Every structure is written in structure tokens, then in C-alpha cells.
Amino acid sequence: MTSIIPRIEQLSARVVRVLGCNPGPMTLQGTNTYLVGTGDRRVLIDTGDPAVPDYISSLKLALQQFSTNIQEVLVTHWHHDHIGGVEDVCRDVTGPQVLVSKLPRATKVQETIGEKKLNYLRDGDIIRTEGATLKVLFTPGHTDDHMALLLEEEGALFSGDCILGEGTAVFEDLYDYMRSLKILLDSNAQLIYPGHGPVVQDAASKIQHYISHRDQREQQILEAIRAGNGRTFSSMELVKIVYKVRSGLQQQGPEGETSSAVLQETPEYLHGAANVNLVHHLKKLEKEGSISLGTLVRKRRERRRRRRTSGATRANMAAPLQDAAAAAPADRPSLTAAGQKLQHGAAVEVSHQALLSSGSAWWGRIRTEPESGGPYVLILSSYGADVIGHPEMNRGGGSVGLLEGGPCQMGLWIRNIS
């Protein structure tokens, strides 16, 4: 059973964790932010989400409790649950003069948070504060600007979202992500302070587990391709082969129990999410020269098929969306047509098996049994979603699946697809 993470906790002589007070399926109990050092000026790693007064209160209390201030702020990557609180911290805690640093995006665009310009670090840079030395490790894959930080005095990693305290991480480039895992393994760290979830006490075992998990999936894909004896596949055809047999993988059940799945066919409604993960693997294998996507995946045929069926698909989606609109109370916005764009933060009442869209980012689907009640409220944001009113969904259970979408929009929603 997962232990409860307190809002403020001293983890070592040099590290104090301040919980971001932003729980959700994508953030687990919340974003872990850290005060690092032993003196009266310390480094703050990550800042949580924007506009979370409870976090600012906790941060102020931690600074008071340990008689310290913030020397500078380091941000592990651009996702809003790590960088989003910068403006609030600068306004309410440090003042605007504090240095805020991160690695640059691949596009080299100058980033700002409100009126705050960011300082850019480089791989291998050293940040020093009293009692602590932090080394920057460029670890892309989860995002193109992701960094981990090695606390040299403890042999400990601040892993951001490259390694989580629970479950596996999502990524936008698997090739880069696997290289980053090897960088973390080569750091010889003893423990990990993750961006979400509890402290990882055996760093090497955790990192190796992540690597082995991906390697096993990759081998399943290659075996399916070899078994085809030279035939071509669409990626979805491979999904139906690879995500059927999950021999030896640990799987979390609906009540949180863990078991080894010998034969488990992934439900069809999750095949879209599985396809995203599988395509990540295919792109990695192509970069390594193991396969050629031009001959493996029938891209043109798939595009033609999608064009032929797009009208029917939209028609099929319209009915459940209209059902959801009919079920929605008058004080909530409702969906009236398939593909309607919602503002981030919009709340929509949905009924059994309704499909939702938040624009082009991703599709979400709620699956409940008719006798389980409802409707429920799905809170959409630019990064993920929250479901209010359903106990399994509130703790990130398997009741919600993302069907298609861009990088880093799925993963923690889909506990059985990784």
C-alpha cells in the first residue's frame, strides 16, 4: 500500500521535501518539490502547479521551520506541474530577483513565466549552496529539456519525471529516454528523490527495472515482426499481437492488488493508447537501424483507410456525445457535437461510455458499468484530467483510458498499458 506523503518532510540532513498539494492521476499525491542545502539560503527544485495557495503556504512554513530562504530555483522540465508555480513563488515568497534556471527546449525559444525570464543551464553544470553540490544531468526523453540533478554529497538523484516513485514514466522520445536511463544508471546513485511518489531507496534496481521493462516490450515487438516472415504490418496490427501476451509482467488489479499476468488481452478501447507506445518503440528501433518503418508499416494504406472511415467515425462518436449532453445538468457546460473544443479547466458531466475531446491534444473515454451510477465530472487541462465522483478514477484506477494523442498525455491514466 502506498504511504501517505506529508506536506513537509525532512528526508536527510540536506533535503526537505515540500509536497505541491496538486494530487491527481498524472501527479500521484502531488509534485515533489525540494529544498536542498544546510544553510540559510537553499536551492528549490521544482515549484508545482500554478495558483495552488496551499503549496505556497507549505513552502513558507518549511522556510520558517528550517530558518532558511531560497537562493535560487531549478526546474527539471517545462511541464506545468513542475514549472507552473514559478510565478507564484517569485511573487509571494522570494521576490522577482531570484534566479530561475532550467535546460533549454530543443527549439531554442526564449521561455518566460509571466514576466520572469529563465536562465539556461548546460549539461554538467554545477550548482553550489551551503552543504550541497548539484550536478546537472541532461536526461531528455520525457521532454526535450528534461534534467536530473545529482546531489554529490549523498550520491542521490533528483530524477524529475524520468523516474517516478511509483509506476513507470511517460515519454515523448523513447530512444532519448532509454539513453537517459543509462545516464542515470551510470551515475551510481544510491537513492532517488523523484518528481512524484515516495523516495526510491535502491536507485540501481529501480532504474534497471525501467530499462528491463522497455527492453522486454521491445523484444515482444521484434519477435512479432520476425514471426511475420517478411510481411508488412500496420502499427495497430502489431498492437493486437504484442499487447495480447504479457507473460511475466506485473499488473495492477482494480483493487490495487499486484499479480503476474500470464495471458492478458488488452481491451480494444485501450488499443489506441497502446499504439502510441508501440510507435515510440518502432521509432527507436528505426533510429537504431533494426527496422525500416517505410517497409514495415503500411502508412499510405492506413491513411487511405482513415480517410474512408473518418466520416463514419465522426457519426459514431456523435451519438454518445449527444447522450452525454442530455445527461448534463444545466449548471455545467455540455457537449453538443463530436470534436467540440473545450477550454482548459472546463467541467463536463458525462454519462456511460461518453467520448470527450479537448481539442487536438487527446481523446479520453470514461468506461463505467451502468449500475455504478454517474454521471461523473471530468476536469480537462492542458496536461491531463481529473475525474470527480468515482473512487476508482480519483485514485487513478483503470477506469479511464486515453485513446490517441501527443507525447506525455497518457501513461499514468493507463495503468495496464506501458
Side-chain angles (χ1 to χ4, degrees):
M1 182 177 178
T2 302
S3 59
I4 301 299
I5 297 177
R7 289 195 176 188
I8 302 171
E9 184 176 7
Q10 183 167 11
L11 301 175
S12 75
R14 298 174 179 84
V15 179
V16 175
R17 179 180 56 207
V18 184
L19 193 62
C21 302
N22 57 337
M26 302 299 293
T27 58
L28 304 181
Q29 295 184 55
T31 303
N32 295 326
T33 77
Y34 298 94
L35 290 167
V36 183
T38 59
D40 58 6
R41 285 169 54 78
R42 305 188 188 186
V43 173
L44 175 64
I45 299 176
D46 285 334
T47 63
D49 269 309
V52 183
D54 284 350
Y55 170 66
I56 296 300
S57 297
S58 293
L59 181 59
K60 288 179 176 179
L61 181 60
L63 293 171
Q64 180 182 2
Q65 182 178 337
F66 293 94
S67 302
T68 191
N69 292 294
I70 295 175
Q71 168 186 307
E72 60 185 292
V73 178
L74 303 178
V75 178
T76 57
H77 61 290
W78 68 265
H79 284 164
H80 69 77
D81 57 320
H82 294 261
I83 201 171
V86 164
E87 194 170 9
D88 301 325
V89 169
C90 291
R91 182 187 63 245
D92 299 331
V93 182
T94 65
Q97 75 287 345
V98 71
L99 185 68
V100 179
S101 303
K102 65 184 289 291
L103 289 174
R105 300 294 306 275
T107 56
K108 307 297 182 185
V109 174
Q110 177 66 47
E111 299 166 274
T112 58
I113 304 295
E115 297 182 357
K116 184 71 178 179
K117 287 188 176 181
L118 303 178
N119 176 60
Y120 287 120
L121 299 167
R122 294 178 297 179
D123 185 36
D125 279 354
I126 301 294
I127 296 95
R128 291 185 173 87
T129 190
E130 185 177 336
T133 307
L134 294 164
K135 181 179 180 180
V136 173
L137 302 177
F138 178 38
T139 52
H142 176 70
T143 59
D144 60 10
D145 64 339
H146 195 281
M147 73 173 176
L149 295 155
L150 179 64
L151 177 56
E152 295 184 346
E153 287 82 358
E154 294 186 5
L157 284 169
F158 295 94
S159 64
D161 283 0
C162 196
I163 299 284
L164 303 180
E166 297 174 322
T168 54
V170 296
F171 43 83
E172 60 185 33
D173 188 305
L174 181 57
Y175 180 80
D176 287 345
Y177 181 67
M178 294 299 288
R179 289 167 63 93
S180 293
L181 290 177
K182 290 179 172 62
I183 289 171
L184 296 185
L185 191 62
D186 290 343
S187 72
N188 296 316
Q190 301 301 304
L191 77 161
I192 295 173
Y193 298 119
H196 305 276
V199 174
V200 176
Q201 297 296 334
D202 188 344
S205 293
K206 183 75 167 183
I207 299 167
Q208 190 58 60
H209 169 73
Y210 270 46
I211 294 171
S212 299
H213 179 65
R214 291 294 156 203
D215 285 345
Q216 183 176 13
R217 176 67 72 216
E218 186 172 293
Q219 285 306 308
Q220 291 172 331
I221 294 169
L222 288 172
E223 287 169 9
I225 294 169
R226 293 187 189 112
N229 293 319
R231 64 166 287 202
T232 59
F233 292 88
S234 70
S235 59
M236 190 56 74
E237 286 171 337
L238 285 172
V239 164
K240 292 176 181 178
I241 298 170
V242 171
Y243 281 84
K244 182 172 183 178
V245 180
R246 298 172 60 87
S247 179
L249 293 181
Q250 293 296 308
Q251 181 173 321
Q252 186 173 350
E255 301 301 324
E257 72 277 10
T258 299
S259 61
S260 294
V262 177
L263 179 62
Q264 173 74 28
E265 185 167 1
T266 299
E268 188 173 351
Y269 76 92
L270 292 180
H271 281 185
N275 187 54
V276 173
N277 281 333
L278 185 135
V279 169
H280 280 307
H281 277 280
L282 293 177
K283 289 179 179 179
K284 172 182 177 288
L285 289 167
E286 185 178 44
K287 283 184 179 181
E288 295 170 341
S290 300
I291 62 171
S292 171
L293 291 183
T295 59
L296 175 66
V297 182
R298 299 193 297 272
K299 293 182 179 177
R300 278 189 226 168
R301 189 178 302 177
E302 286 295 297
R303 281 198 293 269
R304 287 198 299 270
R305 183 189 61 77
R306 283 197 294 270
R307 281 197 294 269
R308 287 196 303 269
T309 60
S310 61
T313 300
R314 284 193 293 270
N316 290 338
M317 285 164 45
L321 284 166
Q322 289 164 358
D323 290 344
D331 60 345
R332 293 285 188 185
S334 62
L335 292 175
T336 57
Q340 175 183 340
K341 291 186 177 181
L342 304 175
Q343 294 296 319
H344 293 154
V348 182
E349 298 280 351
V350 296
S351 61
H352 179 51
Q353 291 193 338
L355 290 172
L356 301 175
S357 170
S358 62
S360 60
W362 49 265
W363 290 98
R365 186 176 192 175
I366 291 181
R367 299 183 72 255
T368 65
E369 296 303 321
E371 61 269 19
S372 65
Y376 308 112
V377 180
L378 183 68
I379 307 298
L380 302 172
S381 73
S382 59
Y383 183 68
D386 250 338
V387 181
I388 310 302
H390 189 291
E392 285 296 337
M393 295 179 186
N394 279 341
R395 65 173 200 247
S399 299
V400 174
L402 301 185
L403 300 185
E404 27 179 290
C408 302
Q409 302 300 322
M410 65 291 297
L412 291 180
W413 278 109
I414 307 162
R415 294 305 178 97
N416 295 336
I417 297 292
S418 57

